[in-house]
Amino acid sequence: MTLNDAVLQQLALHLDSCQQQARDTVKITDQYPDMDWEDAYEIQDRILKLHLNRGARLAGLKCGLTSHAKMKQMGVTEPVFGFLVDTFAVAPGDAVDTRALIHPKVEPEIVFVLKRELRGPGCHIGAVLAATDFVMAGIEVIDSRYRDFKFDLKSVIADNTSAARFVVGGRACPVEQIDLRTCGVVLEKNGQPVTFGAGAAVLGHPAAAVAALANHLGRRGSSIPAGTMILSGGVTEAVTVAPGDHVQLRVQDMGAVGLRFV
Ligand code: OOG
Ligand code: MG
């Protein structure tokens, strides 16, 4: 940790207020170039506390920048991890109010729900599959609080990995019934297919992203509790959306889930 308590809290309050007021900011490493990974996750943890203090509940966890397409789109090289609260959740088919967001984009994701705790280090794909209750289709709406979505890894971690809204739906599918590597993903915008992929785009196997999350939490002395929902990361690059758009995600064997933007 390189930042003191007062600076960590000030940065958490700053990023949180940018999210609450749909206002963008310059990336925080511009002012604090020496901040380290611990500082970044500590700021994220403090933002979670601000949500909880306002009455929100933790709804799940997310992995980000787990696909080559996303790493290339954002110019970074390593996965990041964040949280989801219930106030980010949207019901399938419902409208997302873009006035509460800065510059939303959507991502097709494979969602895991665990039946058993996962604890790193040493967590691997096999352990994840054994602990998974079912997988589902999910759309994440990301909305970086940084101007023009321009950030480095530490800045985006502090900003809770751009998390803003999410929807999960379709058909809950037991993992033993599908090959998550070859499982096809089609994202449609306004009725037109716009991005395509297969599960293997996410670290070779989407369960590898969940294992990476468990190992990350293990290094910080915690674990992924049984029952946790986890977004394993965008399979393709993220797609910009505007008021009037509707998006529909189809995942092989997992049905479809959609959202509208107003
Ligand atoms: C960071 C969040 C990335 C994903 O699924 O890759 C993410 C960003 O691109 O703004 O959620
Ligand atoms: Mg995502």
Side-chain angles (χ1 to χ4, degrees):
M1 209 92 94
T2 68
L3 303 178
N4 67 36
D5 182 70
V7 171
L8 291 165
Q9 192 61 14
Q10 177 236 314
L11 290 171
L13 288 166
H14 172 60
L15 289 170
D16 181 65
S17 74
C18 286
Q19 175 163 25
Q20 298 310 313
Q21 296 164 19
R23 200 162 34 78
D24 70 7
T25 181
V26 295
K27 63 182 197 307
I28 59 175
T29 47
D30 288 354
Q31 202 185 347
Y32 297 98
D34 297 329
M35 68 180 269
D36 63 18
W37 304 103
E38 261 186 86
D39 292 319
Y41 279 107
E42 174 62 26
I43 293 165
Q44 185 192 111
D45 288 349
R46 289 177 184 227
I47 294 173
L48 171 59
K49 287 205 188 85
L50 295 172
H51 284 281
L52 299 179
N53 289 344
R54 286 191 291 264
R57 302 285 178 91
L58 188 63
L61 300 174
K62 60 165 285 191
C63 312
L65 307 172
T66 48
S67 69
H68 186 67
K70 281 286 314 184
M71 289 189 198
K72 191 169 158 223
Q73 181 180 32
M74 305 323 298
V76 297
T77 53
E78 263 175 85
V80 293
F81 306 101
F83 66 82
L84 300 166
V85 282
D86 58 353
T87 50
F88 296 176
V90 184
D94 262 10
V96 174
D97 185 352
T98 54
R99 286 170 306 184
L101 302 172
I102 305 162
H103 42 198
K105 296 184 189 184
V106 291
E107 302 181 318
E109 308 218 4
I110 292 169
V111 181
F112 288 70
V113 177
L114 301 186
K115 58 186 170 200
R116 284 205 295 276
E117 180 194 40
L118 277 175
R119 187 175 279 276
C123 187
H124 52 76
I125 293 172
V128 173
L129 294 180
T132 299
D133 200 354
F134 54 83
V135 286
M136 290 179 94
I139 300 172
E140 184 179 19
V141 181
I142 53 167
D143 191 40
S144 176
R145 269 54 70 173
Y146 299 120
R147 199 151 301 155
D148 304 321
F149 260 92
K150 292 218 165 62
F151 50 68
D152 49 31
L153 280 170
K154 288 170 191 160
S155 294
V156 74
I157 290 165
D159 183 32
N160 189 26
T161 67
S162 312
R165 299 285 184 276
F166 68 93
V167 62
V168 297
R171 187 172 79 87
C173 189
V175 271
E176 59 272 21
Q177 281 178 18
I178 41 171
D179 182 346
L180 284 171
R181 296 166 303 173
T182 54
C183 160
V185 172
V186 179
L187 183 71
E188 298 169 359
K189 181 164 117 176
N190 304 328
Q192 300 292 322
V194 285
T195 58
F196 318 88
V202 175
L203 295 177
H205 191 304
V210 178
L213 169 63
N215 291 329
H216 159 77
L217 291 174
R219 283 191 291 276
R220 306 185 79 217
S222 71
S223 64
I224 315 178
T228 303
M229 179 195 74
I230 303 143
L231 270 56
S232 59
V235 176
T236 68
E237 75 276 13
V239 174
T240 301
V241 285
D245 286 341
H246 59 92
V247 293
Q248 179 88 349
L249 170 65
R250 301 180 192 282
V251 183
Q252 191 171 1
D253 298 324
M254 296 179 216
V257 64
L259 278 181
R260 296 177 294 122
F261 292 85
V262 294

